Amino acid sequence: MFSYNRIILTCLVLLLPFTLVSCTGTQQQLTRPEVEAPTWPRDGETPRIRYIGSFTRPEDLQIRQGMVSRIWDYIIGSPARELVAPHGITVDTDGTIYVVDAALKTVQIYNRRKNTFSVVPDDDHLFETPINTATDSKTGRLYVTDSTAGLVRTFTLSGAGAVGEFGKEDLERPTGIAINTTTNELLVVDTKQAAVLRYDRHSLALKGRFGSHGTNHGLFNHPTSLAVNNNGEILVNDALNFRIQIFSPTGEFLRTFGKAGDSPGYFSRPKGIAADSDNNIYVVDTLFDNVQIFDAQGELLLSFGQPGQAPGEFWMPTGIFIDHDDRIYVADTYNKRVQIFQYLKQSGR
């Protein structure tokens, strides 16, 4: 352990270089103004998706670490500030971004409004296999599915401390998670049980469940993620049935679309799913290295992305989230970054 005097001495020695860095260094911009942002579709039609930028560390979002914090981290060691394997993503109503890093077994929290970056958990090895995350501003909770542990862990929205856990008696392999404000429920996909479990948003008591193993309507084969649209309908990625199934807010089967294939409109390895303000459905396909967009009835509208490392290109993407401003966040997992796009909403819709 450092003695108090040694800490003070170290701080004084380090003070000058850190001051120079903070004065002369420049922040990496989220977007590069000299480069025209890519848009989709690419055939001259009216753009519907525009690339905004990407980040792999807080500095990419203009979240600058203060001098004192850098000195302290130098002395005692600091948590990783760069993404290694981003997976699940969510963004709360204040614009704070939460990213599950499957390799680091952490959730990285980026608050641009407060210029803060933090990592959950504070303690080592709290998560066994974190997969996805959801936030609830109404209850002030952050939820993280811990798949191998068979439960959901809860924290404050700031990530300042663990609140608790739930689902140990109900869950076997939780993966996807989302809030349904229409029914005031927290929804959790259990991949092993091939089911969606419905919890009361406030008490976290189990209210019901739907789904089981199978190929018929309303049944699942390795479901992995879900989302809720503006109507409260539940969109489930039925991964190994190579389809998306859509349910009412209370879990009754409504419709389905998709099947296995290697061309647009088909699925190879569907992962994340999300819906924009027009209820269009976005599906990340890990093996296609793209995002396909369907209307609410399942008709293909367009796709964006291809293999690579340039803006708008992906390498094994997984998670996706769309915020209230129709910004699209995609976990570009093997490129170790999150890419951000904008849905360009048509006037009058």
Side-chain angles (χ1 to χ4, degrees):
M1 295 291 293
F2 282 97
S3 68
Y4 179 77
N5 289 337
R6 187 171 182 186
I7 291 176
I8 295 299
L9 179 60
T10 304
C11 290
L12 291 173
V13 170
L14 294 174
L15 182 59
L16 180 58
F18 273 114
T19 302
L20 292 174
V21 169
S22 64
C23 292
T24 61
T26 58
Q27 298 183 45
Q28 179 179 346
Q29 297 296 313
L30 183 59
T31 57
R32 297 181 179 179
E34 70 275 9
V35 178
E36 184 177 356
T39 60
W40 293 265
R42 295 288 187 88
D43 54 8
E45 295 184 19
T46 302
R48 295 290 178 240
I49 302 294
R50 173 176 289 119
Y51 172 82
I52 295 178
S54 68
F55 67 91
T56 190
R57 54 181 184 159
E59 289 77 10
D60 298 336
L61 293 170
Q62 281 75 62
I63 298 175
R64 184 183 299 178
Q65 189 178 22
M67 180 181 64
V68 175
S69 175
R70 281 184 285 169
I71 293 172
W72 186 250
D73 283 352
Y74 180 87
I75 296 169
I76 66 172
S78 62
R81 294 177 63 85
E82 295 191 2
L83 293 168
V84 176
H87 198 281
I89 307 172
T90 192
V91 181
D92 68 18
T93 54
D94 290 332
T96 302
I97 305 169
Y98 302 78
V99 182
V100 173
D101 194 303
L104 297 175
K105 298 185 178 183
T106 61
V107 178
Q108 301 202 11
I109 304 175
Y110 308 80
N111 190 322
R112 299 181 71 183
R113 184 170 56 85
K114 294 183 178 180
N115 191 45
T116 60
F117 168 78
S118 57
V119 175
V120 173
D122 293 331
D123 302 322
D124 293 336
H125 310 304
L126 176 61
F127 294 123
E128 293 183 36
T129 312
I131 298 293
N132 220 319
T133 181
T135 61
D136 189 349
S137 58
K138 194 169 185 179
T139 62
R141 297 182 185 132
L142 166 68
Y143 300 99
V144 185
T145 54
D146 196 341
S147 185
T148 303
L151 50 79
V152 178
R153 302 189 189 274
T154 63
F155 303 84
T156 63
L157 280 181
S158 67
V163 175
E165 60 187 46
F166 72 94
K168 189 67 175 178
E169 296 180 356
D170 314 313
L171 300 167
E172 294 185 46
R173 191 61 63 86
T175 49
I177 188 168
I179 302 290
N180 193 339
T181 58
T182 302
T183 56
N184 279 318
E185 292 178 348
L186 176 67
L187 307 172
V188 182
V189 172
D190 192 302
T191 299
K192 188 173 182 179
Q193 296 185 66
V196 175
L197 283 73
R198 301 165 48 218
Y199 291 90
D200 181 87
R201 185 178 180 184
H202 298 280
S203 68
L204 299 180
L206 181 64
K207 293 177 60 177
R209 57 190 294 156
F210 60 90
S212 60
H213 292 277
T215 58
N216 292 334
H217 291 165
L219 304 181
F220 302 115
N221 184 4
H222 205 81
T224 57
S225 57
L226 81 167
V228 179
N229 69 16
N230 286 338
N231 299 326
E233 294 175 340
I234 304 166
L235 321 173
V236 183
N237 171 20
D238 188 9
L240 293 188
N241 279 329
F242 303 98
R243 65 187 180 187
I244 303 302
Q245 295 201 66
I246 304 173
F247 298 83
S248 74
T250 53
E252 290 80 22
F253 172 81
L254 297 178
R255 57 193 180 275
T256 186
F257 66 89
K259 57 184 178 180
D262 58 3
S263 58
Y266 293 83
F267 298 125
S268 178
R269 189 68 63 82
K271 285 284 188 179
I273 186 170
D276 65 26
S277 62
D278 287 329
N279 286 335
N280 298 316
I281 301 168
Y282 296 61
V283 182
V284 173
D285 198 299
T286 297
L287 291 188
F288 287 164
D289 288 313
N290 73 0
V291 178
Q292 298 190 76
I293 308 175
F294 303 83
D295 68 16
Q297 301 304 314
E299 293 295 322
L300 179 67
L301 299 176
L302 65 91
S303 64
F304 64 94
Q306 62 186 30
Q309 297 178 311
E313 296 179 346
F314 301 107
W315 186 10
M316 301 287 281
T318 51
I320 186 172
F321 186 86
I322 301 176
D323 69 15
H324 294 296
D325 294 316
D326 280 327
R327 283 185 293 262
I328 307 156
Y329 302 79
V330 182
D332 189 7
T333 306
Y334 276 41
N335 278 328
K336 302 181 180 182
R337 65 186 178 184
V338 172
Q339 295 200 65
I340 308 174
F341 305 83
Q342 179 71 53
Y343 169 53
L344 303 175
K345 190 178 179 76
Q346 299 179 49
S347 60
R349 293 192 65 178

